[in-house]
Structures are given as C-alpha cells and as structure tokens.
Amino acid sequence: MTTTPFQNASTWIDAENAQDPNHETYQSITYPKELLYSNRMYERLMDFHPNASESVQIASKAQHICRWKIARDSYPMDRVGYLKWREDLKKFHAKTTAAILEKAGYTEEFIARVSFLIEKKLLKKDEETQLLEDVICLVFLEYYLDPFVHKHDREKMKNIILKTWLKMSEKGQQEALKISYSAANLDLIKESLEL
C-alpha cells in the first residue's frame, strides 16, 4: 500500500518529536512533551476547522518540532533574549519541517507556504496564519494555562491572558469560552478580559 506525502511527513514529524527528552504525563500516560503538544495542536485544528488545508495541518503538527534543541537559557534571560529565542525557534521549526517535506516529495511552493505559516507571517492579515494562531492560543488555554497560573502572579497572568485573547480572531475567542476551565481559572479569565 502506498503512503501519501502527508502520511509520510506526519510520521516523520512525529518521529522527530518523539525524541524529546522532556516528558509530560496526561491522564496517567507519559508522553514526549513535544509529541503530546503536536498531537494536541493537530486534534484541536481538526476539531475547530475540519476542512483546514494540508499546509495548515502540517504547520500545526510541526509548530514546536524539536523545540528542546534550542534551550531558552542559551539566550539572555530578559525580554530581548526571550524575543530573539522565539524568533530563532520559528526559523528553526520552519527549516526542520522544510527538510522533512522535501524528503516527502512536496513542491517548493508548498514547502514555502508551510514555512510562512510556521513563522506566523502576516498575522491578522493571512487567514491561515490567523487560523494557526487561534489553534495555538486554544491549545494554550486548554492545556497550559493551569500550569502557568501556578508559576506566575495574578497580575502577570492577567496580562498573559489578555495578550493571548488579542491574538485571536473573534471565532477563536468564541471557541475559547467553550473550554472547560476550573472555577478559579474562569474567574481569572473573566477578570483579565473584563467580562
């Protein structure tokens, strides 16, 4: 049975992410951290926008590909260092994914489009970049907000939630309000957004 370029690319992206030395336990099962993130991104995309293009589907899976290879503490631990790290990560994720897509037999045009999406270019202007950003924000709110709440003070969290909210489209915001939050986190969200 022949496999499609998409199936091959997905398998190879998963194989890369499965090498993550960091692990996360979810519902009593332990996963390589970035493989779990990749699966969450893809599942949320298909739930939120089932007819998403193949390029967005791949970009969702590869959003954090091999993220552990560029450590945050290899950059200055300030705002400038953080932004530089994020920018370098985007390029690294795009480049790593491009090599996989080339091996899978995709066209240069398709590979360029996936790189464009992973680098989140033209946010708010490009519909698919915005879709990907919505999914990133939804996954953050559903799975990663709670751990953040335990690490940061209330004022910082309100700022993080507001920034996340402003990155999303109206459709994304509506979807975010359907997520099942703890009572405390829901209060925090409402306070942050003045709802």
Side-chain angles (χ1 to χ4, degrees):
M1 197 174 108
T2 56
T3 50
T4 64
F6 179 78
Q7 287 168 324
N8 285 333
S10 295
T11 300
W12 295 334
I13 289 166
D14 286 349
E16 289 295 328
N17 280 328
Q19 292 174 47
D20 190 350
N22 308 295
H23 291 85
E24 188 177 327
T25 302
Y26 180 66
Q27 294 179 338
S28 306
I29 300 171
T30 301
Y31 301 87
K33 195 175 169 192
E34 293 308 344
L35 180 62
L36 180 61
Y37 179 79
S38 172
N39 289 340
R40 285 170 167 170
M41 281 290 296
Y42 183 72
E43 282 163 19
R44 171 50 87 173
L45 171 68
M46 299 318 287
D47 181 53
F48 180 58
H49 197 84
N51 56 348
S53 72
E54 205 163 300
S55 49
V56 182
Q57 289 181 44
I58 287 172
S60 75
K61 284 187 73 67
Q63 189 57 36
H64 279 184
I65 191 167
C66 300
R67 193 179 187 86
W68 66 91
K69 291 186 179 179
I70 302 181
R72 168 66 186 100
D73 59 12
S74 61
Y75 290 76
M77 296 304 282
D78 55 16
R79 178 90 184 134
V80 175
Y82 173 75
L83 293 173
K84 177 81 175 86
W85 173 65
R86 289 291 300 266
E87 206 47 47
D88 288 352
L89 271 176
K90 280 193 251 182
K91 289 177 183 147
F92 168 71
H93 296 322
K95 195 175 168 186
T96 306
T97 308
I100 287 173
L101 296 180
E102 203 175 325
K103 190 170 87 163
Y106 279 104
T107 64
E108 275 181 35
E109 189 185 1
F110 183 90
I111 295 168
R113 180 64 183 160
V114 172
S115 296
F116 175 97
L117 292 168
I118 289 175
E119 292 185 48
K120 292 197 281 194
K121 293 185 175 171
L122 294 183
L123 186 59
K124 296 284 184 191
K125 293 191 178 105
D126 184 282
E127 273 184 31
E128 291 190 323
T129 302
Q130 185 59 54
L131 170 59
L132 189 63
E133 185 64 44
D134 280 349
V135 172
I136 290 164
C137 294
L138 290 167
V139 167
F140 168 71
L141 289 168
E142 184 167 5
Y143 297 105
Y144 302 99
L145 175 67
D146 201 56
F148 257 72
V149 167
H150 298 294
K151 279 196 295 198
H152 301 292
D153 65 59
R154 195 167 184 88
E155 284 311 304
K156 177 153 191 187
M157 277 314 303
K158 280 164 67 175
N159 189 28
I160 288 169
I161 290 166
L162 185 59
K163 277 185 177 167
T164 302
W165 196 255
L166 294 174
K167 285 181 192 170
M168 299 169 84
S169 69
E170 198 178 323
K171 189 182 173 210
Q173 291 169 349
Q174 287 167 357
E175 192 68 19
L177 292 173
K178 296 178 195 166
I179 292 170
S180 176
Y181 303 101
S182 69
N185 288 348
L186 186 58
D187 283 346
L188 178 62
I189 289 167
K190 286 180 172 174
E191 192 182 322
S192 310
L193 307 176
E194 298 177 357
L195 293 175

